[in-house]
Amino acid sequence: MASPKYLAVFIVLVAIFNICNAQSLKLGFYRKTCPSVEAIVKKTTASVISRVPTLAAPLLRLHFHDCFVRGCDGSVLLNSNRNNQAEKDAIPNQSLRGFGVIDRVKSAVEKKCPGVVSCADILALTARDAVSLIKGPFWKVPLGRRDGKVSIMMEALINLPPPFANITQLKAQFAANNLTTKDLVVLSGSHTIGTSHCSSFSSRLYNFTGRNDTDPSLDPNYIVRLKSKCKPADVTTLVEINPGSFKTFDQDYYTQVAKRRGLFQSDAALLDDTETKAYVKLQSASHGSTFFKDFATSMVKMGKIGVLTGNAGEIRKRCAFVN
């Protein structure tokens, strides 16, 4: 077994490698090889979101779930095969949607620039455009990611922050990806859009401590409303994460969390830390005065987690399969 000294050196080298890779991403990466890539991605994404605006949240979630496992390398898009169960088959990923949209965007890009643009970059751009198209912020996406060749189900189970995580667990998982406590509370704001299955939060309604009780951190009136929609053991019903505003990207999430109406335990946990609570209160009181700017900054930062660049990985021809 390696000595603590050599282990520490190894960890530092890995960190330096990740930082160097992230720095090799750049704006205009495809300026010469595929100058129209961003226009193609936006046009194709817009054609989908204009018809089904509720797909914006799943596309953003796909990007999150990709980056938190092996970095932003498109590994969440890979299918399982007879020899391996991939990330998309892990329990937290079984409710992911939007794979068909990514395939559609990839196909459009391939027609113009075959073998040039990675699925990881397409996912990052599509998530950005989907958010922007539902009145959310826009940010410039540094490009140059390469696609990974490995996708392991167990890694998704271990590395994705669960909806029942407490603030200590959340801060640790974000820190492991070089994201700060501010990034945590800012990126949690993505819950301003989307829906969730009852099973992701029903323990807060019916059996919080194993005694058929409710979560005391959840607003009692909200509990009554949620119980009317979610019966015990319901695994099919979908509930709006941010009631009344789940199709539009706005700051209302923080208003709900401040009122103790965050749907997940991980939302409620933001009130258990001085820094995250202060941010929730600020955005709630100021109608999201800095939220869009902060979200754009944190998304760029998240999009650099563990990226493959240069000659690492590959440029997949189809996003669900290694070449």
Side-chain angles (χ1 to χ4, degrees):
M1 183 176 178
S3 71
K5 177 182 176 182
Y6 289 115
L7 184 59
V9 170
F10 174 74
I11 291 170
V12 170
L13 288 174
V14 169
I16 292 172
F17 175 76
N18 282 336
I19 290 169
C20 290
N21 268 354
Q23 288 175 341
S24 62
L25 296 180
K26 63 180 182 180
L27 298 174
F29 180 83
Y30 298 106
R31 186 174 289 121
K32 294 181 179 179
T33 55
C34 191
S36 58
V37 60
E38 294 205 37
I40 296 169
V41 173
K42 184 174 182 179
K43 181 180 178 181
T44 311
T45 305
S47 70
V48 173
I49 299 301
S50 64
R51 290 182 290 105
V52 192
T54 52
L55 271 174
L59 289 168
L60 178 58
R61 187 172 177 232
L62 262 183
H63 187 33
F64 272 98
H65 282 227
D66 182 36
C67 291
F68 269 76
V69 184
R70 289 191 165 264
C72 311
D73 67 343
S75 56
V76 74
L77 304 173
L78 287 171
N79 284 347
S80 296
N81 56 49
R82 71 177 69 176
N83 300 315
N84 176 65
Q85 285 187 288
E87 291 170 33
K88 64 168 61 173
D89 285 333
I91 290 173
N93 285 338
Q94 288 175 8
S95 60
L96 287 177
R97 295 186 297 137
F99 295 104
V101 178
I102 300 301
D103 289 340
R104 183 171 171 178
V105 176
K106 172 68 170 174
S107 179
V109 172
E110 284 292 303
K111 285 181 181 178
K112 185 72 174 179
C113 314
V116 173
V117 183
S118 67
C119 295
D121 274 347
I122 284 173
L123 180 50
L125 288 170
T126 303
R128 186 271 310 275
D129 289 340
V131 168
S132 178
L133 287 162
I134 57 167
K135 302 180 180 179
F138 179 91
W139 57 94
K140 294 180 179 179
V141 179
L143 300 170
R145 298 166 189 79
R146 305 264 296 177
D147 295 321
K149 300 179 182 181
V150 177
S151 184
I152 300 171
M153 183 179 73
M154 283 303 299
E155 291 184 350
L157 284 172
I158 294 167
N159 294 307
L160 289 171
F164 49 81
N166 62 39
I167 193 64
T168 303
Q169 294 167 327
L170 289 169
K171 288 170 73 171
Q173 284 189 289
F174 273 68
N177 287 299
N178 199 33
L179 296 173
T180 65
T181 300
K182 181 177 181 181
D183 293 320
L184 160 61
V185 67
V186 169
L187 294 174
S188 294
S190 62
H191 287 168
T192 189
I193 53 174
T195 58
S196 171
H197 287 97
C198 295
S199 53
S200 294
F201 58 87
S202 59
S203 65
R204 302 184 76 195
L205 310 179
Y206 295 105
N207 197 28
F208 188 61
T209 65
R211 300 176 181 176
N212 299 318
D213 54 346
T214 58
D215 183 349
S217 71
L218 192 58
D219 171 48
N221 293 323
Y222 193 35
I223 289 176
V224 172
R225 190 189 310 175
L226 290 173
K227 280 186 171 182
S228 71
K229 297 179 179 180
C230 297
K231 303 306 176 187
D234 184 340
V235 295
T236 57
T237 302
L238 287 170
V239 173
E240 299 171 10
I241 298 176
N242 189 27
S245 182
F246 79 108
K247 292 181 182 179
T248 305
F249 199 97
D250 56 32
Q251 86 297 333
D252 191 58
Y253 165 79
Y254 296 106
T255 302
Q256 298 304 318
V257 172
K259 292 179 178 177
R260 298 194 301 134
R261 294 184 175 186
L263 190 62
F264 307 122
Q265 282 175 256
S266 58
D267 297 321
L270 298 178
L271 298 177
D272 295 334
D273 174 85
T274 305
E275 184 179 351
T276 55
K277 183 177 181 179
Y279 189 87
V280 168
K281 297 287 188 181
L282 170 66
Q283 301 309 327
S284 176
S286 67
H287 303 290
S289 59
T290 66
F291 174 45
F292 275 29
K293 179 176 178 289
D294 293 339
F295 191 81
T297 299
S298 290
M299 283 299 295
V300 171
K301 192 173 176 183
M302 187 195 77
K304 295 178 179 179
I305 297 172
V307 293
L308 302 174
T309 59
N311 294 319
E314 64 182 10
I315 304 297
R316 281 185 226 142
K317 294 175 183 176
R318 291 186 294 166
C319 292
F321 307 92
V322 295
N323 292 341

